[in-house]
């Protein structure tokens, strides 16, 4: 009915019954017009959304509620792009599962998915974990270490609890997003970054920006596509 009203291509997410159980599929309908400009036929494209199912299974996203379907529609919409995604939700809402689903439905699915918890790490340790370090960069750095950004090369880096980052570290994340390059701790040589960033937080970042606890420019870099998790 939406297609008949708009006369344009429409997409919808359906829960289908299959011999293997319930499965979500993306359905795309496109109109074909006759010589008079009237809609004569429809082309239907059906594409499985393999990252989610309707009923419980071994792994992945599980749900049937309308709010869950709306979230899946957003996952299916943002996954094919290279846009940075910000996931908002309380602890326990499955933010890492959703991040992994976005990765699995993207063009980077065959590349690494690397997650880091931004809370509970000191500024120095977080920088070393994320960007790596050179030998001798600090006490205990006896060998060069590759950071998680490099480990995720070609794939997706998931920054969990990104709202807990201290201001000094926020600057370094912002540079990686803007310039698409990093520096290992103890090195000035830039390293190109080929990763897709997905961030998640249970912090109200808009309030944190107003309070001066979060950089406004970083917030807008992270908030290119936003998903509220049920």
């Amino acid at each position: 009915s939406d297609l008949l009203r708009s006369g344009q291509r429409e997409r919808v997410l359906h829960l289908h019954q299959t011999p293997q159980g319930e499965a979500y599929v993306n359905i795309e309908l496109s109109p074909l017009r006759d010589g008079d400009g009237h809609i004569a036929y429809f082309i239907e494209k059906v594409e499985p959304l393999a990252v989610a199912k309707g009923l419980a299974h071994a792994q992945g996203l599980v749900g049937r509620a309308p709010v869950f379907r709306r979230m899946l529609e957003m996952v299916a919409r943002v996954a094919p792009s290279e846009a940075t995604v910000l996931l908002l939700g309380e602890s326990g809402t499955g933010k890492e599962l959703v991040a992994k689903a976005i990765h699995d439905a993207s063009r980077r699915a065959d590349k690494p998915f690397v997650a880091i918890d931004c809370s509970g790490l000191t500024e120095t340790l977080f920088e070393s974990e994320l960007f790596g370090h050179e030998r001798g960069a600090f006490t205990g750095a006896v060998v060069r270490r590759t950071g998680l950004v490099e480990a995720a090369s070609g794939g997706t880096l998931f920054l969990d609890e990104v709202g807990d980052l201290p201001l000094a570290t926020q600057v370094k994340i912002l540079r990686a997003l803007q310039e698409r390059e990093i520096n290992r701790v103890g090195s000035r040589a830039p390293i190109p970054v080929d990763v897709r960033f997905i961030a998640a937080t249970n912090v109200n970042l808009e309030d944190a920006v107003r309070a001066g606890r979060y950089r406004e420019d970083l917030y807008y870099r992270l908030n290119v596509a936003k998903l509220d998790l049920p």
Side-chain angles (χ1 to χ4, degrees):
S1 59
D2 289 341
L3 178 62
L4 291 174
R5 283 196 297 269
S6 69
Q8 304 296 320
R9 183 174 59 183
E10 297 285 346
R11 289 174 62 92
V12 66
L13 189 71
H14 272 197
L15 184 61
H16 278 197
Q17 304 295 329
T18 75
Q20 290 76 39
E22 294 181 330
Y24 283 101
V25 295
N26 272 317
I27 298 177
E28 183 179 283
L29 281 174
S30 302
L32 286 180
R33 301 179 182 275
D34 59 23
D36 296 324
H38 301 299
I39 295 176
Y41 303 97
F42 299 101
I43 295 177
E44 182 181 65
K45 178 184 175 184
V46 179
E47 182 180 23
L49 187 64
V51 297
K53 293 183 180 293
L55 299 176
H57 65 304
Q59 57 186 336
L61 298 172
V62 181
R64 302 180 71 181
V67 67
F68 180 84
R69 294 194 192 195
R70 287 195 293 272
M71 183 194 71
L72 281 188
E73 288 173 352
M74 284 297 297
V75 167
R77 190 173 302 139
V78 303
S81 76
E82 290 292 301
T84 301
V85 181
L86 180 62
L87 307 177
L88 303 178
E90 299 175 0
S91 297
T93 51
K95 293 189 283 292
E96 186 167 348
L97 274 176
V98 175
K100 184 64 165 60
I102 293 171
H103 170 77
D104 288 343
S106 76
R107 292 188 290 269
R108 297 176 177 263
D110 61 341
K111 301 297 183 181
F113 174 84
V114 177
I116 183 171
D117 187 349
C118 297
S119 63
L121 291 176
T122 65
E123 180 183 331
T124 302
L125 183 57
F126 179 82
E127 188 176 358
S128 175
E129 286 286 320
L130 200 64
F131 304 132
H133 61 251
E134 297 291 340
R135 179 182 178 184
F138 50 84
T139 302
V142 295
V143 296
R144 171 189 282 180
R145 179 178 177 181
T146 298
L148 295 177
V149 173
E150 289 183 76
S153 181
T156 301
L157 183 69
F158 174 53
L159 301 170
D160 199 7
E161 301 305 343
V162 75
D164 295 338
L165 288 173
L167 283 167
T169 307
Q170 291 174 30
V171 175
K172 296 178 173 65
I173 295 292
L174 178 63
R175 178 173 178 263
L177 284 165
Q178 285 181 327
E179 306 297 333
R180 294 290 162 173
E181 63 181 30
I182 61 168
N183 292 88
R184 294 194 189 106
V185 178
S187 172
R188 295 184 178 180
I191 300 170
V193 170
D194 177 25
V195 297
R196 193 226 188 126
F197 288 90
I198 300 178
T201 183
N202 59 10
V203 174
N204 187 317
L205 292 184
E206 292 182 353
D207 288 347
V209 168
R210 284 191 287 268
R213 298 191 308 271
Y214 214 82
R215 293 183 61 99
E216 185 176 25
D217 46 6
L218 176 58
Y219 169 60
Y220 285 116
R221 281 284 178 177
L222 294 173
N223 191 26
V224 177
K226 181 174 71 174
L227 271 72
D228 292 293
L229 273 60

